[in-house]
Amino acid sequence: MTAPEAGRGIGNGESAAEVTTTFGFPRDTFRILHVSTGNVCRSPITERLTRHFVSQRLGVLGGGLIVESAGTWGHEGAPMEAHAETVLAEYGADTSGFVGRELLDEHVIRADLVLTATRDHRAQVISMGHSAGLRTFTLKEFTRLVNAIDPATLPPLDDGLVMRARALVRAAAALRGWLLAPTVEADEVHDPYGAPLTFFRSIGDEIHQALDPVVTALTGVPART
């Protein structure tokens, strides 16, 4: 599907790049913020798998892409859960240097794309303001929308990863309301906190399946078979 053209504005007629500039952040970066509750299970897995999969596609995590995470009740300064580390290690992703963060206004202000674990997290981010509505999605919602976008309508990677990523977010926002979730649970990634490793692995697989088409759309490079 070719996405309907979205207005470039993310609030008050401003483009994402202009808002970024307004708050003093460079226009040549694209910042993805993953949000869950404690920032010790789901969002660390999603953050580090995003970095890992982009690096696999492009050979390096670069092109102005920044990937980070925070929690709505973030365990500030905490390490990620041991089972989350195990799941990431099994994918070959880097777990070093992770520190939990509580979600702050500044994180939302400078994010170009916010991907949340659940609809409640999405609502909390949007309620913070900062023109976040058109750039905040649940992870699975964003995947569903991305799958409906014709890659040929996106700028080629030769034009820069940042330009392609901004176009992808605009196209996804334009489709929201056209492609609704088939069930209430379809857009949820459930919390594995306190669960056994087997459940963490199942959540890791859910996140992997959701991220794969997103990273392919961002980079224009499919996963290696």
Side-chain angles (χ1 to χ4, degrees), residues 56-187:
Q56 282 186 326
R57 305 292 211 284
L58 301 180
V60 64
L61 180 65
L65 184 65
I66 299 168
V67 186
E68 56 191 357
S69 63
T72 55
W73 290 87
H75 299 182
E76 187 73 30
M80 75 175 76
E81 284 289 294
H83 288 338
E85 285 193 342
T86 299
V87 168
L88 286 169
E90 290 173 349
Y91 279 101
D94 180 22
T95 64
S96 64
F98 180 84
V99 178
R101 303 191 305 175
E102 182 177 357
L103 182 66
L104 302 176
D105 288 288
E106 66 187 68
H107 302 143
V108 176
I109 288 169
R110 64 188 181 183
D112 298 287
L113 172 62
V114 184
L115 297 176
T116 70
T118 70
R119 292 168 299 147
D120 283 346
H121 296 132
R122 181 184 63 196
Q124 289 180 67
V125 171
I126 293 172
S127 73
M128 295 172 73
H130 313 303
S131 304
L134 291 180
R135 51 196 168 97
T136 302
F137 310 79
T138 73
L139 171 61
K140 289 185 176 180
E141 173 192 21
F142 193 66
T143 301
R144 183 173 66 254
L145 299 172
V146 163
N147 280 333
I149 296 168
D150 182 354
T153 65
L154 299 173
L157 192 60
D158 288 347
D159 289 348
L161 184 60
V162 170
M163 182 178 293
R164 184 180 177 92
R166 293 193 190 283
L168 183 65
V169 173
R170 291 195 300 270
L175 283 173
R176 195 183 346 228
W178 291 46
L179 297 173
L180 301 179
T183 67
V184 172
E185 291 292 305
D187 287 341

